[in-house]
Amino acid sequence: MKHVPQVKIPATYMRGGTSKGVFFSLTDLPEKCQVAGKARDNMLLRVIGSPDPYAKQTDGMGGATSSTSKTVILAKSGQADHDVDYLFGQVAIDKAFVDWSGNCGNLTAAVGSFAISNGLVDAKRVPENGHTIVRIWQKNIQKTIIAHVPITNGEVQETGDFELDGVTFPAAEVQVDFVAPVDSSEAMFPTGNVTDKLDVPAVGKFSAASYDVTMINAGIPTIFLNAADLGYKGTEVQDDINNDEQALARFETIRAYGALKMGLIDNIAQAAERQHTPKVAFVSGNKSYVSSSGKSIKGDDIDLNVRALSMGKLHHAMMGTAAVAIGTAAAIPGTLVAQVIATGSTQSVSFGHPSGTLKVGAKTEQVNGEWIVNKVSMSRSARVLMEGWVRIPGDSF
């Protein structure tokens, strides 16, 4: 036979927060894809439909945005006092590349639900009614995350009246706690400063500049800038940024030079191989604006505005891991995030993003002059969109 047939791989398509992706149980994958390597990456690329020079991912499960070009592999945890190991792969759209360097905070909300429904959590820990606390080991970043999954009649409850800006329909609320999102062996502020100067060369119509930045490791490595320093109001939506190729090139240059200063890469060229991290975000005060859905957001109802980029484009809402960074930075005096909040640093903040608002809380403390974050919490929602099998040509991996 000239062409090999397609193979079937058990999979579940899920929304978690404002993202969606294809979820797999590790033991359901083809044997050579159960370990990290080229075969696994090639399988996930074909599942999602990448690389696609048309940037549409028409021949795969991806949705042609950073929020919908995602994969998750779950297994019973090998870590003590944890239920499930969670491995996240961010799939590039136009390149043959899967980025394993960070977590997806939004899809974390769906991990607990999948784990319970697929027998990865001990049935004795699932009540008839109430909440199951799912102890997640995030393998990409070696961190503990706790998901509080609602249970009704012994099964995961997905429907509810919790509304999440950036998601059209209400669903059941899932509280997610990011426990100690910064390693004790890591520096929350890699340069030792809550603010720094970042020198960036000229890019297209933009002159060389030295930007005030806060660079932080919390949830995901993130570079914060002031919106005004970039010539923005801070209330922009996707079309204001994503239709400007030179602006996107400047953001990518900022990201690359920030990654170098944070010690995430050894030279600028390596930034292209690390697209998922760090994130770049810009902040402004609590200005009123109209969200992408036409909803009026009043400045008095929020503490600040934040806009963030993911995989080279302005995100339609806010990445969950970046929200961890926002909540942490908001709680620490002197960061650019805390500086734009009228009341200064705070351990609970409501911020505006292109689709609406989000509230996040952080528990931080200063020990021997070093800042420590004990926990960051936020609420998301999740549900199964489709389950069964994905099919890909047998010679794809």
Side-chain angles (χ1 to χ4, degrees):
M1 187 176 180
K2 184 177 180 180
H3 298 289
V4 300
Q6 294 208 103
V7 296
K8 296 166 56 176
I9 305 171
T12 302
Y13 199 45
M14 295 192 75
R15 177 186 64 77
T18 57
S19 293
K20 58 184 177 180
V22 184
F23 282 60
F24 300 94
S25 285
L26 177 65
T27 54
D28 286 337
L29 297 179
E31 187 173 354
K32 62 182 178 180
C33 299
Q34 292 183 22
V35 295
K38 186 175 180 180
R40 174 185 286 178
D41 285 6
N42 287 343
M43 181 205 78
L44 296 178
L45 285 162
R46 196 66 169 93
V47 166
I48 294 298
S50 292
D52 185 355
Y54 305 105
K56 301 297 183 185
Q57 293 178 324
T58 304
D59 200 22
M61 298 294 293
T65 68
S66 67
S67 301
T68 56
S69 188
K70 298 174 180 282
T71 58
V72 172
I73 300 173
L74 300 177
K76 284 194 174 183
S77 185
Q79 299 288 320
D81 301 320
H82 289 74
D83 300 299
V84 59
D85 287 344
Y86 161 34
L87 185 64
F88 168 68
Q90 177 75 56
V91 180
I93 296 170
D94 59 348
K95 299 180 179 67
F97 179 64
V98 182
D99 196 330
W100 302 99
S101 67
N103 177 32
C104 175
N106 275 295
L107 288 186
T108 301
V111 169
S113 300
F114 181 98
I116 294 169
S117 298
N118 288 270
L120 300 178
V121 176
D122 188 339
K124 296 177 181 177
R125 300 191 60 249
V126 181
E128 186 66 15
N129 294 284
H131 286 79
T132 295
I133 296 176
V134 182
R135 303 161 299 183
I136 301 165
W137 180 249
Q138 215 302 321
K139 292 191 69 174
N140 303 74
I141 58 174
Q142 303 286 292
K143 297 293 182 184
T144 298
I145 304 173
I146 304 296
H148 303 256
V149 182
I151 304 294
T152 299
N153 298 327
E155 296 184 351
V156 173
Q157 179 186 328
E158 296 180 308
T159 56
D161 55 10
F162 174 72
E163 295 186 355
L164 178 64
D165 286 337
V167 177
T168 304
F169 304 108
E173 180 177 3
V174 179
Q175 180 181 318
V176 180
D177 300 330
F178 297 81
V179 180
V182 180
D183 275 339
S184 58
S185 60
E186 291 180 349
M188 183 185 298
F189 300 101
T191 66
N193 306 314
V194 295
T195 61
D196 284 282
K197 289 286 187 179
L198 180 65
D199 296 326
V200 177
V203 183
K205 63 185 177 182
F206 300 105
S207 302
S210 182
Y211 296 106
D212 289 324
V213 296
T214 287
M215 298 181 292
I216 189 170
N217 287 319
I220 200 164
T222 304
I223 304 162
F224 290 105
L225 301 98
N226 284 312
D229 291 347
L230 297 165
Y232 297 128
K233 296 178 181 178
T235 57
E236 285 75 13
V237 294
Q238 283 189 299
D239 286 346
D240 298 323
I241 304 293
N242 292 345
N243 293 329
D244 187 339
E245 291 298 327
Q246 291 191 53
L248 295 177
R250 177 173 63 158
F251 277 119
E252 179 57 22
T253 304
I254 290 170
R255 193 186 74 84
Y257 278 82
L260 186 63
K261 192 157 186 170
M262 294 178 80
L264 299 173
I265 56 176
D266 297 321
N267 58 72
I268 290 297
Q270 290 179 350
E273 302 170 5
R274 190 186 175 109
Q275 296 179 328
H276 185 52
T277 57
K279 300 302 185 187
V280 176
F282 55 94
V283 299
S284 65
N286 60 336
K287 303 172 184 176
S288 300
Y289 67 100
V290 177
S291 75
S292 56
S293 66
K295 179 181 178 181
S296 293
I297 307 299
K298 296 180 180 179
D300 290 344
D301 293 336
I302 57 176
D303 297 297
L304 76 160
N305 278 287
V306 189
R307 303 296 187 264
L309 285 89
S310 179
M311 301 294 284
K313 296 290 183 72
L314 187 72
H315 196 274
H316 72 103
M318 183 55 63
M319 305 81 80
T321 48
V324 173
I326 293 165
T328 303
I332 296 175
T335 67
L336 294 189
V337 177
Q339 288 180 30
V340 300
I341 300 171
T343 57
S345 58
T346 175
Q347 298 213 346
S348 180
V349 66
S350 179
F351 63 87
H353 56 71
S355 293
T357 67
L358 179 64
K359 187 175 182 179
V360 59
K363 292 184 178 180
T364 61
E365 60 180 329
Q366 198 170 20
V367 179
N368 297 325
E370 298 290 334
W371 282 100
I372 296 172
V373 57
N374 298 312
K375 183 173 72 172
V376 178
S377 300
M378 71 188 78
S379 288
R380 316 303 269 172
S381 63
R383 74 181 186 94
V384 172
L385 302 177
M386 182 179 290
E387 54 192 347
W389 301 270
V390 292
R391 293 180 183 239
I392 58 174
D395 58 0
S396 299
F397 53 92

